[in-house]
Amino acid sequence: MTAKTVKLYGLSTCAYCQAIRKMLNDLGVVHDHVDADLLADAERDALVAELQAINPQCSFPTTVVGDQVILGFKVQEIKEAIGLRTEVDELYDRLKKTQEAKGYFFNHDRERTFDLLRGLLINRDRYGYMSCPCRLASGNRQQDADIICPCVYRQADVAEFGACYCQLYVSEAWNQGAIPRLPVPERRTIRQG
């Protein structure tokens, strides 16, 4: 892979800008970054002109990878443009293959899907099992057996609503917008003790 130049245009007060910067640092990606709000006068004017040439809205964050301009907080898109693969990418590939064969598809919103998959990996590291990232786990595998992904509620949720509770797994019709995208009610009751 040829190394691509990476530049992040951000603001020091923008949580999304700082999160992208942290991600790039954590992944060891060499990059330039500039916080536009920390510049003044001619330096700020020059940066704004430079940014407007590639992003007429002059919005933040703007990440440039090689000649690809990525607007907004799009972690997965940035990683893919750089050519990075992480554990979450491996999980995506593995689950996509096994679950699509069963008729369950990932949400077509890749950023949401990868955020949810990251949550599964965090829960795996925290509890020792991949509990649903949208539900409160107890840390007791037996007590949480119903919410280990894919949870026991998925089949009924996808059959009735076209999506599971967290909208990680959906039907083809849901992805295509052929059915209404309604909120999926929580079927689980929290068990104490």
Side-chain angles (χ1 to χ4, degrees):
M1 174 181 88
T2 304
K4 297 178 182 177
T5 59
V6 179
K7 184 167 185 176
L8 170 62
Y9 297 84
L11 299 171
S12 66
T13 55
C14 169
Y16 292 130
C17 302
Q18 299 310 312
I20 290 173
R21 184 174 171 195
K22 181 181 183 321
M23 176 206 62
L24 293 171
N25 286 333
D26 290 350
L27 294 172
V29 175
V30 176
H31 65 283
D32 291 323
H33 72 273
V34 61
D35 289 325
D37 59 324
L38 299 181
L39 303 176
D41 304 325
E43 197 175 22
R44 180 183 266 193
D45 292 342
L47 178 80
V48 168
E50 179 183 319
L51 180 56
Q52 283 181 321
I54 57 171
N55 173 5
Q57 295 91 14
C58 200
S59 58
F60 301 94
T62 297
T63 309
V64 181
V65 179
D67 60 359
Q68 184 175 349
V69 178
I70 302 165
L71 307 180
F73 186 66
K74 298 182 180 164
V75 171
Q76 193 60 30
E77 191 173 333
I78 293 166
K79 282 178 35 195
E80 289 172 2
I82 294 168
L84 289 174
R85 285 189 57 81
T86 61
E87 186 177 16
V88 72
D89 298 290
E90 301 303 322
L91 179 63
Y92 175 87
D93 292 345
R94 188 172 66 250
L95 292 177
K96 182 175 176 24
K97 181 179 179 181
T98 60
Q99 299 307 308
E100 280 189 3
K102 298 175 184 177
Y104 298 101
F105 300 86
F106 281 134
N107 187 322
H108 65 83
D109 180 340
R110 287 181 58 81
E111 293 296 327
R112 179 178 177 88
T113 294
F114 277 84
D115 283 344
L116 291 166
L117 292 173
R118 282 183 201 93
L120 286 174
L121 292 173
I122 288 168
N123 284 345
R124 182 207 58 200
D125 294 344
R126 183 178 290 156
Y127 304 119
Y129 50 91
M130 291 193 297
S131 64
C132 176
C134 299
R135 292 184 165 110
L136 179 62
S138 69
N140 177 314
R141 186 182 186 97
Q142 184 177 358
Q143 190 173 335
D144 293 337
D146 62 325
I147 60 167
I148 295 174
C149 188
C151 72
V152 299
Y153 311 103
R154 178 182 72 171
Q155 183 177 357
D157 287 348
V158 173
E160 186 174 348
F161 296 97
C164 70
Y165 179 69
C166 62
Q167 297 177 347
L168 174 62
Y169 291 109
V170 300
S171 67
E172 279 187 295
W174 190 95
N175 258 345
Q176 295 167 355
I179 60 174
R181 294 186 179 157
L182 303 172
V184 179
E186 177 61 273
R187 295 178 191 267
R188 183 181 201 231
T189 57
I190 294 182
R191 298 166 183 93
Q192 297 292 328

